[in-house]
Amino acid sequence: MSLVIKGQFGLIVDAVREKRPVIHHLTNYVTAGDCANITLCAGASPVMADEAEEVVEITSNADALVLNLGTIAKAKMQAMETAAAAAKNKGIAVVLDPVGVMASKLRLVFALKLLNEGLVTIVRGNYAECLALLEEKAEGRGVDSNGNVTDELRVAKDAAEKYNCVFAVTGVTDYVSNGKQALVLTGGHELLTQITGAGCMTTTLCACCAAVTKDPLLAAALGIVIMGQAAELAAGFMETKDGPGMFKTRLFDGVYHVTTKWNVLHLDPERKQ
């Protein structure tokens, strides 16, 4: 990764800490607490509100909006669409996590509606989810995917071009594209696949970054980088008796340390810790 991009990453991290942007989540009940806590660890402020009657007011006062389809319901879909429209009117970034769109026609149709209406700034999903959005068909059983490494970059670029937004396809290797440019990212730890909420929290970190920059490509990439470095740091904190539960706890600490001492794993020696 170029020094120019790393320098921009540092400015975005500092801006999140300085501005403490408000990140409004319409998310799922499985990982809502995780996403709220990871927002705080990154230096931003979480709001979790999905009542349709108040989402316009709350979204309009936020700095970024997260839409997570993990535990979807018709009332929540209505609130999401209303909130996304309010965000678009205010120029607020909308980050979509298309959980399980390859497994459910309801989820797929709704996600495609948001994308086709131009309401989404960034999509952060796994290979199977992003492929389903690109091909506009649901084929799958669960919400996880190992992905086809040779095809992931194509999916990221083609989907981004098709829907005129940034697509971040995450997995062992991560691919982020705005349709014209693309970034290939490596990092993280295999224990991320052994806990709930890793993807959801990564989406939240992308939103934290998107709240303070007008470049959604960099925002999505940085959110992924922060999670990857935090995972490496968390794994390094672990003792032989520890497992996925302690890893998840230390992941929050990892995000805190990465964002307060940017880039904690590869610190510039001239940058004060």
Side-chain angles (χ1 to χ4, degrees):
M1 190 176 297
S2 73
L3 292 176
V4 172
I5 291 177
K6 286 186 177 180
Q8 291 174 303
F9 279 179
L11 293 174
I12 294 171
V13 168
D14 289 344
V16 173
R17 285 277 167 196
E18 292 168 5
K19 298 179 181 180
R20 297 195 65 82
V22 174
I23 313 301
H24 181 198
H25 294 73
L26 280 81
T27 189
N28 72 76
Y29 55 70
V30 178
T31 63
D34 296 333
C35 292
N37 282 315
I38 214 74
T39 303
L40 290 170
C41 290
S45 300
V47 174
M48 314 326 244
D50 54 17
E51 172 53 54
E53 292 185 10
E54 66 176 0
V55 291
V56 170
E57 182 180 4
I58 292 176
T59 299
S60 296
N61 290 315
D63 299 291
L65 173 66
V66 173
L67 305 178
N68 182 302
L69 307 188
T71 52
I72 203 66
K74 289 185 177 181
K76 187 176 287 187
M77 288 190 291
Q78 178 186 349
M80 285 182 174
E81 190 170 5
T82 301
K88 183 176 181 179
N89 289 337
K90 289 283 188 175
I92 297 167
V94 177
V95 185
L96 174 66
D97 194 326
V99 181
V101 291
M102 70 289 192
S104 161
K105 186 176 179 180
L106 176 70
R107 294 166 188 255
L108 180 63
V109 169
F110 179 64
L112 291 173
K113 182 178 182 182
L114 295 175
L115 287 165
N116 287 319
E117 290 179 359
L119 298 176
V120 178
T121 311
I122 298 169
V123 176
R124 199 293 316 162
N126 65 34
Y127 170 77
E129 291 162 346
C130 294
L131 180 63
L133 293 173
L134 176 61
E135 297 185 348
E136 300 189 10
K137 60 182 180 181
E139 292 182 350
R141 297 176 60 187
V143 298
D144 296 317
S145 171
N146 293 324
N148 179 344
V149 174
T150 60
D151 200 41
E152 289 176 349
L153 179 58
R154 179 194 69 82
V155 169
K157 293 176 68 175
D158 289 356
E161 184 176 9
K162 181 175 183 177
Y163 297 113
N164 193 32
C165 65
V166 168
F167 262 70
V169 181
T170 55
V172 176
T173 302
D174 308 303
Y175 301 88
V176 186
S177 179
N178 58 11
K180 298 178 181 178
Q181 301 166 293
L183 295 172
V184 180
L185 307 170
T186 58
H189 194 276
E190 61 183 7
L191 279 172
L192 286 170
T193 65
Q194 300 298 309
I195 63 172
T196 57
C200 298
M201 289 186 282
T202 303
T203 299
T204 288
L205 291 173
C206 294
C208 291
C209 298
V212 297
T213 178
K214 296 298 184 182
D215 189 334
L217 181 73
L218 286 181
L222 179 54
I224 293 167
V225 168
I226 291 171
M227 178 57 81
Q229 290 193 349
E232 294 174 23
L233 195 60
F237 288 154
M238 293 177 69
E239 301 177 14
T240 55
K241 66 179 183 296
D242 295 336
M246 188 56 71
F247 171 76
K248 186 172 182 177
T249 297
R250 287 179 169 148
L251 188 61
F252 294 107
D253 293 338
V255 169
Y256 171 80
H257 287 303
V258 167
T259 56
T260 54
K261 304 170 186 176
W262 174 257
N263 161 353
V264 75
L265 296 183
H266 310 285
L267 276 171
D268 183 332
E270 296 182 359
R271 186 180 176 86
K272 294 181 179 179
Q273 298 189 32

